[in-house]
Amino acid sequence: MKNQTTEKTGIKYLLAALGPGMILAATSIGPGSIVSFTNTGANFGYTLIWWVIAILIFRAVFTFAMNKYTVVTGKPIMVGIRENYGPVWAVLAGVFAFAGQCVYGIGNVIGVGLAFLILFPFIPLKVGAVIGLLICGLLYFMKGLYQKVEVFMKILVAIMVVIFVISFLATLGIPYDGTVSHSFFGMPAGAKAMMLSLMGTTASLGTVAYGSSLAKEKGYRTEDLKKGGLLADVIGGVAVIGIISAACYFVGANLFPGAPIGTGMDLALGLSGLLGAFIRPVFGIAFLAAALSSEMMAPKLGINLLLQSLNKESGMESKTENVVSIVMLLFALAVVFAYGGVPAQLLTLAQIGGVINTPILGILTIFLLNKKEEMGEQKTHIAFTIALVASYLVVLYMVVNNIITIVRGFLA
């Protein structure tokens, strides 16, 4: 696909270069991440904000690495893994990415239904969930889907940033009662599982790998590396995630200290009590933007990576990808109607998939970026390799530590 942005210069070029990062930001900020960040602040105060910064750095360096590989080679990262290290590793990563998105899609379907309920109390949650699925189904089969999704997601991201920042600013005047810590660094008891959860919602390498597919559809070229367009997109996308996540985090610490919420409805009610009834529809719009963007893109993420791992055709307008995405959403909707939530067994499966995917995708990306035959003169510099390895080791420690905790729990 021809990239029209390289013909522009200056700020116009940088703004036009934004795209995949905004789509990934909208995909990552869903109902689950909003509740998770709010509850982290509610449970642990400010003490884990350093971890939020750490996982954002991890996401940024691996997003740039994977996108750079695609720009230089013309191949998404999953295709590169399959070609260079064999189908076993690629398919393993693809299967777990697909399974994870099948499960997380349930939460997104619930989130859309809940958003409609916040906005329109007369619409039952399940009816709202059906409306969301119909919207996604219609959007999937539009012509020029990538360009339309890019514009749509930029609008949704802007809505979320404005409303969540306003919500955060409104909580700054709440008197500090000492319920939770306002120290900006710490490792409180019971925090490690939550830290891994935040990593899964914010810095999933499966999500980042999908970004390399979006970079290919955007049409980035090596000129975009030199002009800074690729870097601007990465920084912009990560900054959006950081702003919204931090806003939710501090709202939790300031508005719900020691009293974590159950759903987005609890957050809407808490903000309404602080700011007045008018904030409910305003927050409902932001929550709908978060839920709908995740509901639409999460299935495509899962099936896209699976198809690439199987050496099958994929892409934003792939009929196979779109049809399977709808099937995934129908599965999620069926679970919502049958159980009203995400069964614990399925959630555990998704978490295990994320745990396995992180080491696989992380180390193989580092290898690919340093492979002379693939990268040529764009082979990554030693300083960037060190940044990749350092952030990878920090996250790997959290993954391994969580696995040990899970195993001990089963054996106890």
Side-chain angles (χ1 to χ4, degrees), residues 36-389:
S36 292
F37 276 97
T38 301
N39 281 343
T40 302
N43 283 318
F44 304 110
Y46 296 178
T47 55
L48 291 180
I49 198 65
W50 66 271
W51 178 245
V52 177
I53 296 171
I55 56 179
L56 289 173
I57 293 172
F58 172 76
R59 181 184 179 114
V61 295
F62 272 94
T63 300
F64 185 76
M66 290 183 178
N67 287 3
K68 179 180 179 180
Y69 175 82
T70 296
V71 171
V72 173
T73 67
K75 300 178 291 190
I77 197 75
M78 192 67 79
V79 175
I81 290 173
R82 180 184 174 90
E83 291 182 357
N84 286 275
Y85 303 109
V88 172
W89 292 114
V91 171
L92 188 63
V95 167
F96 279 116
F98 177 77
Q101 295 310 317
C102 284
V103 177
Y104 293 134
I106 301 170
N108 293 329
V109 167
I110 294 173
V112 170
L114 183 60
F116 276 110
L117 184 61
I118 294 172
L119 285 168
F120 310 105
F122 55 86
I123 297 181
L125 186 149
K126 292 180 179 179
V127 173
V130 172
I131 295 172
L133 190 148
L134 292 174
I135 292 172
C136 291
L138 291 173
L139 291 173
Y140 282 151
F141 293 100
M142 296 177 69
K143 295 293 184 182
L145 184 58
Y146 174 82
Q147 290 78 11
K148 290 181 173 63
V149 166
E150 183 179 298
V151 173
F152 185 51
M153 295 302 171
K154 285 179 179 178
I155 294 171
L156 294 183
V157 161
I159 291 171
M160 285 189 278
V161 167
V162 171
I163 295 176
F164 282 111
V165 168
I166 291 173
S167 300
F168 156 66
L169 293 175
T171 68
L172 291 179
I174 299 175
Y176 174 53
D177 64 3
T179 302
V180 294
S181 172
H182 275 198
S183 169
F184 284 93
F185 186 85
M187 183 70 78
K192 288 183 179 178
M194 183 62 77
M195 291 167 71
L196 189 66
S197 174
L198 296 185
M199 190 195 80
T201 58
T202 304
S204 164
L205 287 188
T207 303
V208 174
Y210 180 54
S212 71
S213 296
L214 296 175
K216 182 176 176 63
E217 298 216 36
K218 173 75 172 177
Y220 286 133
R221 300 182 297 196
T222 52
E223 187 177 350
D224 293 298
L225 277 171
K226 299 173 183 176
K227 294 178 68 173
L230 190 68
L231 182 61
D233 181 66
V234 171
I235 292 174
V238 172
V240 164
I241 294 172
I243 291 169
I244 297 172
S245 299
C248 292
Y249 185 103
F250 285 113
V251 166
N254 296 334
L255 185 59
F256 302 101
I261 62 175
T263 67
M265 180 66 80
D266 296 335
L267 183 52
L269 293 174
L271 290 171
S272 296
L274 177 67
L275 299 174
F278 81 92
I279 199 63
R280 174 169 171 151
V282 174
F283 174 78
I285 292 171
F287 198 74
L288 179 61
L292 190 60
S293 58
S294 293
E295 179 179 14
M296 179 182 178
M297 297 309 300
K300 290 188 70 64
L301 185 165
I303 185 58
N304 179 273
L305 297 185
L306 179 59
L307 289 173
Q308 288 178 3
S309 73
L310 295 171
N311 199 29
K312 302 294 183 181
E313 179 188 358
S314 64
M316 193 70 80
E317 296 189 37
S318 163
K319 288 184 178 180
T320 301
E321 189 171 303
N322 288 328
V323 169
V324 176
S325 294
I326 291 175
V327 172
M328 293 167 71
L329 289 177
L330 288 172
F331 164 76
L333 187 66
V335 173
V336 170
F337 271 79
Y339 296 97
V342 186
Q345 300 91 332
L346 290 180
L347 188 57
T348 300
L349 175 64
Q351 291 172 334
I352 291 172
V355 165
I356 292 174
N357 255 357
T358 297
I360 294 174
L361 292 174
I363 193 64
L364 294 182
T365 295
I366 294 171
F367 288 160
L368 284 174
L369 265 287
N370 285 277
K371 198 174 179 65
K372 182 70 174 178
E373 304 93 300
E374 289 280 280
M375 300 298 292
E377 64 179 18
Q378 292 291 339
K379 179 176 174 289
T380 192
H381 296 297
I382 184 65
F384 188 65
T385 299
I386 291 173
L388 283 169
V389 172

